[in-house]
Amino acid sequence: MTNALEDAVADFGRHLRAERAVSPHTLRAYLGDLADLCAYAAATGVAEPADLDVSLLRAWLARQHALGRSRATLARRTAAARAFTRHLYRRGLLQDDPGLLLGTPKRQRDLPGVLTQDDATRLLDTMDTQGPLGLRDLAVLEVLYGTGVRVSELCGLDVDDMDMGRRTVRVLGKGGRERIVPVGEPAVRAVQDWLRAGRPSLANEDSGPALFLGARGGRLHPTSARRIVHGRISEVGEVPDLSPHGLRHSAATHLLEGGADLRSVQEILGHASLQTTQLYTHVSAERLKQVHRQAHPRGTRFE
């Protein structure tokens, strides 16, 4: 049997699905975090939403820290707790919102791995495109790198989302936000080749309007797309192994290196906050410093 606190978490999950339209990944993460909170609360004798207070929340987070959870995990669990207590307060199950008293652990923002522009050219220009899957794989990588879309956004694309004439793609991003993203000519050509000579060979009654298909004809799954990216990159020598997110990082970095302004990159990537996009300015700065150290006669530090 579940207790009242666990029932409240289940209600919160329904709220996130129906009213907040959060991604499946975020939903799983938040509900997992709150299940851990419920277990901790039950161990301390708390089973009612009304008994949640800031002391219990802080003690739970302190235990997470003691267990060696990363700063990113602690930040996410703090965010989950705050969203949950805000939901309880609005539902009238708490007199006050204890989540407002929680500090937010500062997340460590590691610089993401990226391809060099030469690496990206070598990867995309030398790929084996024989057969329907070869055409699909090239189109997948060209679109990921050429637009900077998330892998979930790529797999959600329908055929009609790509406007070949205008060279744009309509993307449904996080929170159901729609945006129009420009697409380069190489990506357009790759998608056209896939639609002409690849997709018809795989399409069946399960395909629907999906732009990219798996080997059995259904909509391409993000797990399969990740496997495609890792596999294709591994075929190219001396190129760092990256995920689809690494191609997104590479696209953003190369846009900034080419002179794009930060606001434009924010709109292309679909970031809700400019602060997220600003991470890429640090990536570019690190790359510039590395070039300076290697190329400038006074760039190296005397030992």
Side-chain angles (χ1 to χ4, degrees):
M1 289 182 60
T2 60
N3 59 37
L5 188 57
E6 291 169 334
D7 289 340
V9 169
D11 176 67
F12 179 58
R14 290 188 289 271
H15 164 73
L16 291 178
R17 272 189 296 266
E19 300 177 37
R20 295 276 297 278
V22 301
S23 70
H25 175 76
T26 300
L27 180 64
R28 285 194 302 271
Y30 271 30
L31 293 183
D33 294 340
L34 295 174
D36 191 274
L37 172 60
C38 286
Y40 180 83
T44 62
V46 172
E48 297 288 334
D51 293 329
L52 279 182
D53 58 24
V54 68
S55 297
L56 186 144
L57 295 175
R58 284 174 175 165
W60 170 61
L61 291 169
R63 174 159 177 75
Q64 304 302 307
H65 184 269
L67 290 172
R69 307 295 185 224
S70 69
R71 277 190 283 184
T73 297
L74 288 171
R76 192 197 66 227
R77 293 200 161 180
T78 301
R82 292 167 102 173
F84 180 50
T85 59
R86 182 169 61 248
H87 174 75
L88 295 178
Y89 175 70
R90 289 175 176 174
R91 287 282 197 270
L93 297 175
L94 282 173
Q95 288 188 343
D96 300 296
D97 182 0
L100 295 174
L101 301 176
L102 292 177
T104 302
K106 189 174 182 180
R107 288 187 60 175
Q108 182 175 1
R109 304 303 297 271
D110 296 324
L111 295 177
V114 294
L115 298 175
T116 66
Q117 295 185 34
D118 288 341
D119 285 343
T121 299
R122 192 149 51 94
L123 168 66
L124 296 169
D125 287 354
T126 63
M127 188 181 301
D128 179 5
T129 59
Q130 291 188 356
L133 296 182
L135 293 172
R136 179 204 63 188
D137 292 357
L138 177 61
V140 164
L141 267 71
E142 284 281 13
V143 172
L144 283 170
Y145 172 65
T147 64
V149 296
R150 302 174 178 91
V151 66
S152 58
E153 296 170 343
L154 172 105
C155 294
L157 292 177
D158 291 337
V159 173
D160 291 343
D161 289 330
M162 184 80 77
D163 188 328
M164 306 296 182
R166 295 176 181 270
R167 295 201 311 188
T168 59
V169 60
R170 183 174 63 243
V171 178
L172 190 64
K174 288 185 175 180
R177 293 188 295 270
E178 185 179 290
R179 68 186 189 278
I180 303 297
V181 179
V183 184
E185 184 62 34
V188 169
R189 286 198 306 268
V191 171
Q192 287 175 329
D193 290 342
W194 153 246
L195 291 176
R196 174 182 50 81
R199 190 181 186 279
S201 300
L202 298 178
N204 57 38
E205 63 274 10
D206 297 324
S207 302
L211 175 59
F212 293 113
L213 306 179
R216 296 182 180 179
R219 183 181 292 274
L220 185 66
H221 191 274
T223 300
S224 299
R226 293 185 186 96
R227 192 180 303 119
I228 290 167
V229 172
H230 286 298
R232 289 300 187 168
I233 288 179
S234 71
E235 296 172 0
V236 184
E238 299 181 357
V239 172
D241 181 29
L242 294 180
S243 66
H245 207 60
L247 292 181
R248 176 172 162 86
H249 287 316
S250 300
T253 301
H254 297 166
L255 280 168
L256 286 168
E257 289 176 346
D261 64 273
L262 207 57
R263 284 287 183 188
S264 296
V265 175
Q266 178 191 7
E267 290 184 24
I268 290 171
L269 297 182
H271 286 156
S273 168
L274 188 63
Q275 184 178 8
T276 306
T277 317
Q278 285 174 335
L279 169 67
Y280 297 104
T281 62
H282 303 309
V283 177
S284 298
E286 285 300 314
R287 294 273 295 280
L288 287 174
K289 285 193 287 186
Q290 182 179 359
V291 168
H292 184 271
R293 284 194 297 268
Q294 293 174 347
H296 196 283
R298 307 290 287 185
T300 56
R301 183 179 298 171
F302 290 106
E303 301 293 339

